[in-house]
Amino acid sequence: MLRKADSSFGFAIGAALLFFFIGGTLTTIVPPLVDKTWSKPFENNDPSKGPTGKLKPYTEIELKGRAVYVREGCWYCHTQQTRTLLADTKRSGWKGVDSPISTPDEFVYDTPHMFGTKRTGPDLSRVGGKYDSQWHRTHFRNPRDLVPGSIMPPFPWIAENPEELRALTAYIQTLGRSKNWRPDNDYEK
Amino acid sequence: MPEEINKSVDTRSSAASGPALVHDDTTAKWFLISSIAYFFIVGIIAVTIAAKFVWPSLLGTVQYLTYGRLRPLHVNGMLFGWLLAADMGLSFFMVPRLCAVKLWSEKLGVATAILWNAIILGAVVSLLMGWNQGLEYAELPMPLDIAVVVAWIMFGVNIFMTIASRKYDQMYVSIWYIMGTILWTAFVYLTGNFAVLFATGTNQANLNWMYVHNAVGLIFTPVGLAIAYYFIPKASNTPLYSHKLSMIGFWSLAFVYVWTGAHHMLHGPISQWLQTISIAFSVMLLIPVWAVVYNFFATMKGQWHQLKDNVPLKFLMSGVVFYLLTCFQGPMHSLRTVNAIVSKTDWIPGHAHMAVLGAFSFFAIAGCYHMIPRAFKTTIFSEALANWSFWFLMFGGLGFFVTLWLGGFWQGWQWNNPSIPFIDTVIALKPVWIVRFFSGILMFLGIVSFGYNIMATILGAKDRPAAA
């Protein structure tokens, strides 16, 4: 049948698009219609169903900080997903408590999404509240002052800009905090 | 394979169409010269970011030159400034010859090239300024996205009108691949740069990966294979082994590739069933790949001795081997067990570079070496330098790919042992990044010798007229 595409211009175009659209439609348009967790913000009040908590929309200052995170390309080296791997839940964990895995409903307000493809630095999906603002400030000025061996670039233009620093830190402190899972909620500010 | 197609590939097409048809190639020349210039310029950026892995404070206090801004410039510059522009230039060269007609409009073609250059320059400014949309491969701000769409329509109209006025009824396989590229790119690009903006979170990520994966699978792969299908028979002066096999390769690619985007989120916050579909189709990619690669190897049967002193053929056939390897890696690391080790590690850039540099850039370089002397009616400036450019890129490439695969596996195993602190897994990779930097220097020397050879060929064209 596809022999016809050899010499017929219109047939070749039609078949090439048809083949493409079957897979294209089934893998991009259909999944969010089938799986509602992609669009419904996380909320759970029942401890028997896993960690409780509620996903809140970003505030104005957090959005500003997120814009800085996007602008500087932090997402090229830091993923934001605790995957269904034991090691991920331990690395995202805190003080001996394993972190819950990331679920789609935790990211409903994220645009652009920051899941990432490359983990040159540690995953940040549960970093919110682990380090205080002073730590972040010193770290942005020169990461190697706090973490010898780190290859993160220094960001003095953020560390020296109080407004951007406050916004970026505010954003980072939100990461992964819609689910309450840590012992005694020991979050730093 | 019908006689006229054979002729159009085996011999100069002018021989097949009665009175000699003189191609202007103005558009092809514009695209290729600018793309090679970007190959060189972006090569400097590539070496710089490789150096930043070894010396992380390098240029660190200049916000416009920080890693997070140079990396998208490297990716977009290589993908769109060098490779896609070179592929478009080679399409403007191949399509009129395969159709035995002149290009539909050289004026429109030159306008496309000018617009394309404006887009690339705009991309340099916006990415260094940090105007980044935050989506991989779709970093460019909206006005530039719209300009890309306009340029793509101009390119598509020109190529389709040329094909519609062709002298031969039957279309050679390169023509299908170029048509496929133009059509699929339109939808893939619109999904990745416009549709994503109407989605958030996982839904947006799914659209983003559909674009990212198909930018390679349905943009660079089909146009790269169009180039290989055209230049392998040309450079070796041997007819293609099987027309039927090339059809199997094309139609299975058209069907299978688009399903695989979600394999970028394996183990991640995306539906399990979608992950499984993407794995199944990723494995099926072996079908189009092996159909294509078998065809190329069978074409070369009895002709391998030509590799000894035929530089374009060296690039083409090692490109085919890298294509086979990278497309074997892809399905393998889509398997959940392998993915748990290599995903997000340095294996990933090793794999990506083998596809985009090792396979598709090698095809494009071979096309340039074959085409530039013909378009300028001269001979190559230096065969020896061309040979050097091959070996620089080959050894630089191998050093890069092999250390990153091994390093990536090693890194993944360390990550999977949570008793190793993360920072220790970073420090452990230092030797890998040092080798990567020096491999990058070798690759850059390859780019310089390639670019210089092409420049000298063009500038000295009048002194070295082509042998009849």
Side-chain angles (χ1 to χ4, degrees):
Chain A
M1 182 199 78
L2 288 170
R3 267 279 169 212
K4 205 174 162 198
D6 260 14
S7 47
S8 165
F9 192 56
F11 189 90
I13 292 176
L17 286 181
L18 177 73
F19 275 41
F20 171 82
F21 276 120
I22 296 171
T25 312
L26 288 175
T27 55
T28 59
I29 297 171
V30 173
L33 300 176
V34 175
D35 198 334
K36 298 292 179 207
T37 62
W38 288 25
S39 51
K40 193 168 157 282
F42 169 76
E43 187 171 5
N44 180 29
N45 301 314
D46 180 0
S48 68
K49 288 183 183 162
T52 57
K54 185 177 188 315
L55 178 70
K56 292 192 221 74
Y58 292 111
T59 62
E60 200 177 321
I61 186 167
E62 288 159 7
L63 283 175
K64 254 189 207 153
R66 203 168 194 280
V68 175
Y69 188 92
V70 170
R71 183 190 74 199
E72 300 301 343
C74 308
W75 47 287
Y76 289 114
C77 295
H78 295 285
T79 54
Q80 287 188 17
Q81 42 179 320
T82 301
R83 296 171 298 167
T84 53
L85 301 175
L86 184 65
D88 267 31
T89 62
K90 295 209 177 286
R91 289 195 183 278
S92 291
W94 188 240
K95 296 184 178 170
V97 180
D98 294 354
S99 138
I101 58 170
S102 298
T103 47
D105 50 12
E106 289 180 82
F107 302 93
V108 173
Y109 298 121
D110 282 14
T111 177
H113 77 87
M114 292 283 114
F115 291 122
T117 43
K118 180 70 179 35
R119 193 175 278 180
T120 305
D123 180 78
L124 299 184
S125 56
R126 301 278 177 218
V127 81
K130 286 182 183 172
Y131 306 95
D132 62 25
S133 310
Q134 185 54 46
W135 187 94
H136 282 296
R137 188 176 165 201
T138 313
H139 190 247
F140 287 130
R141 176 163 294 146
N142 184 10
R144 276 160 293 287
D145 287 350
L146 288 174
V147 189
S150 164
I151 61 160
M152 181 167 136
F155 291 94
W157 58 95
I158 297 175
E160 278 146 30
N161 181 334
E163 203 184 328
E164 284 198 348
L165 180 70
R166 203 150 33 90
L168 180 58
T169 310
Y171 166 64
I172 289 173
Q173 300 297 25
T174 67
L175 293 176
R177 290 178 68 173
S178 61
K179 286 184 177 171
N180 299 318
W181 56 277
R182 299 210 299 221
D184 310 324
N185 286 343
D186 67 335
Y187 295 114
E188 283 82 9
K189 274 177 197 159
Chain B
M1 196 162 81
E3 191 55 25
E4 71 266 22
I5 304 284
N6 244 331
K7 266 191 193 150
S8 77
V9 175
D10 278 355
T11 63
R12 296 288 189 80
S13 61
S14 53
S17 60
L21 178 63
V22 180
H23 295 284
D24 297 344
D25 294 325
T26 319
T27 310
K29 288 175 187 169
W30 268 81
F31 265 105
L32 284 172
I33 292 170
S34 55
S35 70
I36 295 168
Y38 294 126
F39 200 16
F40 170 74
I41 296 165
V42 181
I44 299 172
I45 293 166
V47 174
T48 310
I49 62 177
K52 278 169 177 272
F53 274 79
V54 185
W55 300 284
S57 292
L58 179 76
L59 302 171
T61 51
V62 188
Q63 57 171 311
Y64 306 104
L65 301 176
T66 190
Y67 177 83
R69 301 197 191 180
L70 290 186
R71 190 195 122 141
L73 186 56
H74 165 60
V75 172
N76 284 275
M78 283 301 184
L79 290 185
F80 300 112
W82 148 244
L83 189 54
L84 192 54
D87 287 347
M88 287 159 83
L90 290 167
S91 303
F92 278 119
F93 177 85
M94 292 186 290
V95 169
R97 283 168 176 75
L98 286 170
C99 297
V101 289
K102 286 193 160 205
L103 183 67
W104 183 66
S105 168
E106 290 284 355
K107 267 190 193 147
L108 179 63
V110 172
T112 316
I114 293 170
L115 178 58
W116 199 260
N117 275 283
I119 293 166
I120 302 301
L121 296 176
V124 173
V125 172
S126 50
L127 292 174
L128 291 183
M129 291 304 290
W131 300 330
N132 184 327
Q133 285 203 116
L135 293 160
E136 219 169 330
Y137 288 19
E139 282 94 349
L140 301 185
M142 183 58 80
L144 291 175
D145 291 346
I146 294 170
V148 170
V149 173
V150 172
W152 198 255
I153 292 170
M154 290 160 75
F155 170 60
V157 166
N158 216 345
I159 295 291
F160 274 109
M161 293 306 283
T162 309
I163 298 172
S165 65
R166 69 190 185 279
K167 284 263 167 59
Y168 307 128
D169 185 39
Q170 190 168 15
M171 292 178 282
Y172 181 63
V173 50
S174 294
I175 294 185
W176 317 335
Y177 274 109
I178 291 171
M179 291 202 301
T181 307
I182 292 169
L183 296 167
W184 297 324
T185 302
F187 292 97
V188 168
Y189 194 83
L190 291 175
T191 306
N193 291 276
F194 298 94
V196 274
L197 304 176
F198 297 97
T200 63
T202 297
N203 193 3
Q204 187 187 56
N206 188 44
L207 297 176
N208 182 203
W209 303 142
M210 184 271 197
Y211 164 64
V212 167
H213 197 76
N214 292 309
V216 181
L218 292 175
I219 300 179
F220 293 110
T221 299
V223 73
L225 294 181
I227 292 167
Y229 268 114
Y230 182 88
F231 287 104
I232 289 175
K234 276 275 190 194
S236 62
N237 209 16
T238 311
L240 183 69
Y241 168 71
S242 165
H243 181 67
K244 198 175 251 173
L245 200 54
S246 65
M247 287 184 71
I248 295 171
F250 178 80
W251 292 107
S252 52
L253 177 98
F255 183 65
V256 170
Y257 229 113
V258 68
W259 299 75
T260 57
H263 71 202
H264 288 254
M265 293 272 288
L266 292 183
H267 304 290
I270 196 166
S271 318
Q272 284 293 328
W273 62 269
L274 189 59
Q275 297 184 23
T276 306
I277 287 179
S278 73
I279 294 169
F281 278 85
S282 300
V283 173
M284 277 192 261
L285 278 178
L286 293 171
I287 300 166
V289 172
W290 289 38
V292 166
V293 170
Y294 185 88
N295 213 350
F296 290 150
F297 280 153
T299 302
M300 286 302 288
K301 193 180 172 201
Q303 302 295 332
W304 290 101
H305 63 276
Q306 291 196 40
L307 279 184
K308 195 167 153 278
D309 29 42
N310 186 334
V311 175
L313 207 53
K314 282 185 194 181
F315 272 109
L316 287 163
M317 293 320 291
S318 28
V320 173
V321 173
F322 284 135
Y323 178 64
L324 177 66
L325 286 175
T326 197
C327 292
F328 183 71
Q329 281 187 327
M332 290 309 116
H333 75 216
S334 297
L335 303 175
R336 280 194 174 88
T337 43
V338 182
N339 188 274
I341 301 166
V342 299
S343 184
K344 321 278 182 284
T345 67
D346 278 65
W347 163 283
I348 303 302
H351 167 69
H353 280 79
M354 189 163 56
V356 175
L357 176 92
F360 304 128
S361 290
F362 272 32
F363 293 159
I365 291 169
C368 291
Y369 273 134
H370 183 97
M371 186 214 117
I372 292 281
R374 283 166 180 77
F376 285 90
K377 299 176 180 54
T378 178
T379 53
I380 193 81
F381 166 72
S382 166
E383 284 284 347
L385 192 59
N387 201 29
W388 274 99
S389 74
F390 172 76
W391 290 109
F392 276 136
L393 280 162
M394 188 69 181
F395 278 107
L398 280 176
F400 187 108
F401 310 147
V402 174
T403 43
L404 286 195
W405 305 329
L406 297 176
F409 254 101
W410 186 31
Q411 190 180 25
W413 277 319
Q414 293 182 69
W415 287 353
N416 277 297
N417 178 353
S419 66
I420 303 175
F422 189 88
I423 187 64
D424 289 357
T425 73
V426 175
I427 293 166
L429 264 273
K430 198 125 209 183
V432 169
W433 293 326
I434 292 173
V435 177
R436 190 246 301 264
F437 170 68
F438 285 106
S439 305
I441 300 248
L442 281 181
M443 280 149 67
F444 184 65
L445 289 175
I447 295 173
V448 171
S449 38
F450 162 64
Y452 180 80
N453 208 352
I454 296 292
M455 189 180 77
T457 302
I458 295 170
L459 294 181
K462 288 207 173 61
D463 308 332
R464 290 186 318 280

